Amino acid sequence: RYRELVVALGSISRALPIPGLAEHALGFKNLADAIFLRNHVLQRLEAADAATIEAHRRAELTFVLVGAGYAGVEALAELSDLVRDALRHYPSLRGEPQRWVLVDAAPKILPEIPSRLGEYAARQLTKRGMEIHVGTTLESVEADAATLSNGDRIPTHTVVWTAGVKANPVLSQFGLP
């Protein structure tokens, strides 16, 4: 017997029908995704270190994160810290520029919090050299590039999708509102 029942199955990632998203983008929803993403980013450093062509090296050191809510902003900041710390193991990459790109369809980052705090976060990320594209969507993803709605085609091997969640579909089987 119980007085109240809480059904808390959590949410799942909301994927939009964007060409190449399912095939080439990485999720960031749970611990397994985070571990996979960390390993992927470290593999990009290995690939950049081995690259003999400058354009290839630049693509390996370009990271695109789609979704500027809590998860996207935190992933962007933490991954850039990870790369900065890991570069001590890659002397040939220390002077190489990295490109960090945050994309969101909303007109500002972190819309869940008061505007002044979101604006502060945006200023801090920009000071760290990160690009912020608001009012912009991801149009397509390829194995080696991401195309944005503003027409930018960004050579990269890392696109991280953090653009929303939806209710676990199992909930619909309960017949509850």
Side-chain angles (χ1 to χ4, degrees):
R1 295 174 44 99
Y2 56 88
R3 204 175 94 191
E4 294 182 35
L5 174 66
V6 176
V7 180
L9 300 178
S11 58
I12 62 170
S13 293
R14 176 190 59 162
L16 300 177
I18 297 170
L21 180 67
E23 297 83 8
H24 303 294
L26 305 171
F28 188 65
K29 175 72 179 104
N30 56 40
L31 181 59
D33 289 345
I35 292 168
F36 186 86
L37 181 55
R38 177 204 61 201
N39 293 342
H40 172 84
V41 168
L42 294 175
Q43 289 170 349
R44 301 289 51 88
L45 294 181
E46 289 288 332
D49 192 44
T52 57
I53 299 170
E54 181 63 27
H56 184 210
R57 183 176 296 115
R58 277 195 308 271
E60 295 292 359
L61 295 174
T62 298
F63 307 91
V64 177
L65 288 91
V66 183
Y70 290 123
V73 171
E74 182 177 357
L76 176 75
E78 291 297 327
L79 288 173
S80 69
D81 287 347
L82 169 69
V83 168
R84 187 186 66 239
D85 292 344
L87 284 178
R88 71 178 182 265
H89 301 292
Y90 300 94
S92 69
L93 296 179
R94 287 190 192 139
E96 293 291 328
Q98 302 159 33
R99 186 174 180 194
W100 295 91
V101 182
L102 182 62
V103 178
D104 200 291
K108 62 181 184 170
I109 71 167
L110 295 168
E112 309 91 343
I113 63 175
S115 290
R116 65 181 176 76
L117 294 175
E119 291 164 7
Y120 173 79
R123 284 192 306 274
Q124 294 304 309
L125 293 173
T126 303
K127 280 183 189 175
R128 290 176 64 177
M130 297 171 185
E131 297 175 36
I132 300 174
H133 296 266
V134 292
T136 307
T137 59
L138 179 67
E139 291 293 307
S140 66
V141 185
E142 302 165 53
D144 62 353
T147 302
L148 307 182
S149 62
N150 63 8
D152 287 353
R153 184 175 187 279
I154 302 171
T156 184
H157 297 282
T158 306
V159 175
V160 182
W161 179 261
T162 67
V165 296
K166 63 182 181 179
N168 190 311
V170 173
L171 287 175
S172 66
Q173 298 174 12
F174 293 122
L176 300 171

